[in-house]
Amino acid sequence: MTDGFLRLAMNLHFAWDHPTQALFAAHNPDAYQARHAPLDVVRSGAKEGCSADAAAQLTELSNYMSDTTWGDAHAGRLKPAPVAYFSAEFGLHESLPIYSGGLGVLAGDHLKSASDLGLPLVGVGLFYRGGYFGQRLDAEGWQQEDYPRLEAEEAPLTRVEVDGARLIVSVETRSETISAQVFLAQVGRIRLFLLDTDVPQNSDTNRALTANLYGGDEHTRIRQELVLGVGGLRALRAMQIRPGVMHLNEGHSSFVALEAIAQSMEYEGISFEEARLEVAARTVFTTHTPVPAGHDRFARESVEEHLGPIRDRLGISQDALFEMGRDGDHETFCMTALALGLTERTNGVSFLHGRVSRRMWKHLFPGRKEHEVPIGHITNGVHVPTWTTASMLAFYDRVLPSDWRHRQWDPAAWAPILEVPDEVLYAQRCAARESLAGYVQERAAMEASARGEAAEVVDALREAPLAEGLLVGFARRFATYKRATLLLRDLDRLDAL
C-alpha cells in the first residue's frame, strides 16, 4: 500500500470528503464495508494502480491544508492562543466510535467547521477503546449490545510525544494518582487530543477508566471527568498550548475551569478571586439538555476525594468548593452549576432551549428576573459537507457560485438555488431517498441473516419497495425522551400520511 494511502487514512478529513471515501471503497470494497474505515483498506492492501489515484487525492488534501482561510483573515489573534474545545465525546466518523449521540455529533461538526474556516482551535477529549455500545436485534427481537474493543493502531491516531518521550499527564486524588497518555487525531486542519488511562502506571481499575463512554458508576464518571478536565488542560500546557478561550461542551468538562484557576494562581501569582474572574472571562459553556442525565451530580465525599488536591491549591475550604457546585437545595455537587458559576458566557443550543435553560437555572441567580439569567442561545447548525450526499454536493457545485463552500454563511451564495425549478430539486431528493432506501434494505437483510432469519424473510427485506412508501428514520439513539412512540398514537392519521 502506498504512503499516500496511509497519509489520506490518517487525516479524518476523509470523513467529509466523498472522493476520498470513494477511493478507499473502490480499491477494497470488502475491507471498507464493515466500518467504512480507510485504515482497514490500508492494512488489507490495494489493487494495482492505486498510487496514481491516491496521489490525486493527496494533492487535494495538501491544497486544502495550505489554502488561505477565513481564519487567516479574521482570527489571526487566536493563532498563538487558540480556542480549546473540551468535550466528553466527538462524533467524527464511525471508524472512531467515541460518541453516542447529539452532543458528540455537534462536537465533531464544530471541529470540521473550524477546520474548513481555518479557525485556530484544538479539541480535547477521551479515547474510549470500548466506545459506546453497538446495537442489534436478536432472533426474538430484543436489543443486544456489543462492545467491540478498538486499539489505537486500528484508528487514525498517533501517540503524542514531548522532547522525544511519550507524553504522560498525571492527576492526583486524595488517595492516588491517575495517569493518562495522549493521542492525536488530525481532523483536517484541527488537532484533537484524546487522553487514555490504559497505561502501566495505573491500577487495573484506573486503566479501565476510559474504556467506555458513559459507562460505570459515579466513581468512574467523576474520574473520567477529572482526567478530561484537569488532565486535558495539563496536557495542553505540557505541549506549550496556552488557550485564549476555553469552550466547555456540556458540564462533563467543568473541572477545566478549576484547574485553569489553580494554574493562573500558580503561574501568574494572583489571588483566587482574581484568577476566578480572569478564567471566567475567557471560558464559554454550552449546556445541551433539560434531561437530568445531562447534568452530572456527585456526593460531597466524592468531591473531596477527587478535588481535594485542587482545593488545596486554590486555598479554599471544603464548604466553599462544594458551594461552587451547589444546585439549590440538592446536597450534591452539580457539574452544570459549577460551569454556570465559573463562566461569563453560557449558551443553550436553540432559541427554545435557551428559554427553557433560563427558567431551569433561574434559582442560581437570585434577584434576577428570568430574562436576565445569563444564558443565551446559538441555534445548532451542521457541517454541510458531512451531511450532504455526494450527488447533492455535485449539484450545488453546478448551480451555485464556484466559491460557495467557502461562503456557506452568505445568503448571496445560496440565492441561485431559488431559480432552480422545483421538479429538478425534487428529482435530486428522490434519487437520494432511493439510495437511502437501498442502503436500509441491504443493512436490514444482512442483520436478519446474521440473527438466523429464514431465507425468505431475508429476501423479502431486500425486495420490499421501501422507496415507494413512507420512511420514518432516527439519525441517532432512539432515546425515550424523544417520544418517538407518538408516531404510533394515532394509527389512522399515520396511515393517512
Side-chain angles (χ1 to χ4, degrees), residues 14 53 73 75 80-81 106 147-148 183 188 216 219 239 276 346 387:
F14 69 73
D53 297 338
L106 173 72
Y147 292 88
F183 289 102
H219 180 80
M239 292 181 285
R276 177 173 175 162
T346 298
W387 300 103

Side-chain angles (χ1 to χ4, degrees), residues 236-283:
L236 294 183
R237 177 166 284 273
M239 292 181 285
Q240 304 298 312
I241 298 172
R242 305 286 190 270
V245 178
M246 296 177 296
H247 191 141
L248 314 181
N249 191 36
E250 194 60 281
H252 313 118
S253 309
S254 300
F255 293 150
V256 170
L258 293 177
E259 174 65 16
I261 293 170
Q263 288 188 13
S264 291
M265 293 172 66
E266 292 162 355
Y267 292 104
E268 299 173 29
I270 58 179
S271 69
F272 170 75
E273 282 303 326
E274 289 173 316
R276 177 173 175 162
L277 291 173
E278 184 269 333
V279 168
R282 59 187 175 95
T283 307

Side-chain angles (χ1 to χ4, degrees), residues 65-345:
M65 297 291 285
S66 60
D67 279 349
T68 301
T69 66
W70 179 94
D72 293 326
H74 300 284
R77 292 179 60 186
L78 285 173
K79 287 188 176 181
V83 176
Y85 186 94
F86 292 81
S87 180
E89 50 175 301
F90 287 90
L92 294 159
H93 188 260
E94 63 186 288
S95 62
L96 187 61
I98 56 171
Y99 61 98
S100 71
L103 177 72
V105 170
L106 173 72
D109 277 18
H110 273 170
L111 297 197
K112 294 171 184 178
S113 296
S115 174
D116 287 348
L117 289 169
L119 183 69
L121 180 147
V122 296
V124 182
L126 300 177
F127 175 47
Y128 307 99
R129 293 174 185 265
Y132 193 70
F133 64 82
Q135 298 159 288
R136 58 181 172 83
L137 298 179
D138 64 18
E140 283 71 46
W142 290 99
Q143 175 183 300
Q144 301 296 318
E145 295 82 42
D146 296 316
Y147 292 88
R149 182 177 172 85
L150 176 70
E151 299 300 338
E153 296 75 18
E154 299 171 335
L157 302 175
T158 55
R159 280 190 174 85
V160 174
E161 294 186 350
V162 174
D163 297 329
R166 180 173 54 164
L167 175 58
I168 299 287
V169 295
S170 298
V171 180
E172 306 78 18
T173 71
R174 283 297 189 204
S175 59
E176 60 183 331
T177 296
I178 306 170
S179 298
Q181 62 184 329
V182 184
F183 289 102
L184 167 66
Q186 192 69 39
V187 185
R189 301 181 177 102
I190 301 300
R191 293 174 294 169
L192 168 61
F193 298 106
L194 300 173
L195 281 72
D196 170 35
T197 62
D198 190 8
V199 294
Q201 294 91 324
N202 287 333
S203 66
D204 288 346
T205 299
N206 286 338
R207 291 188 74 155
L209 271 183
T210 54
N212 295 107
L213 172 61
Y214 304 143
D217 54 12
E218 177 184 310
H219 180 80
T220 299
R221 180 67 64 86
I222 194 171
R223 289 183 168 224
Q224 285 183 334
E225 296 179 1
L226 196 67
V227 171
L228 171 63
V230 178
L233 194 59
R234 291 180 182 179
L236 294 183
R237 177 166 284 273
M239 292 181 285
Q240 304 298 312
I241 298 172
R242 305 286 190 270
V245 178
M246 296 177 296
H247 191 141
L248 314 181
N249 191 36
E250 194 60 281
H252 313 118
S253 309
S254 300
F255 293 150
V256 170
L258 293 177
E259 174 65 16
I261 293 170
Q263 288 188 13
S264 291
M265 293 172 66
E266 292 162 355
Y267 292 104
E268 299 173 29
I270 58 179
S271 69
F272 170 75
E273 282 303 326
E274 289 173 316
R276 177 173 175 162
L277 291 173
E278 184 269 333
V279 168
R282 59 187 175 95
T283 307
V284 180
F285 172 52
T286 297
T287 181
H288 278 261
T289 178
V291 176
H295 307 280
D296 291 329
R297 301 174 187 274
F298 302 113
R300 179 184 288 266
E301 56 271 18
S302 184
V303 171
E304 176 59 21
E305 161 64 19
H306 293 94
L307 296 182
I310 291 182
R311 182 177 67 75
D312 292 342
R313 294 163 61 205
L314 298 176
I316 60 177
S317 67
Q318 287 191 41
D319 287 343
L321 176 61
F322 194 79
E323 286 302 313
M324 293 168 70
R326 182 183 287 279
D327 175 16
D329 296 331
H330 291 279
E331 284 302 319
T332 53
F333 187 89
C334 176
M335 296 294 280
T336 302
L338 178 67
L340 288 170
L342 294 181
T343 57
E344 279 191 4
R345 294 181 181 272

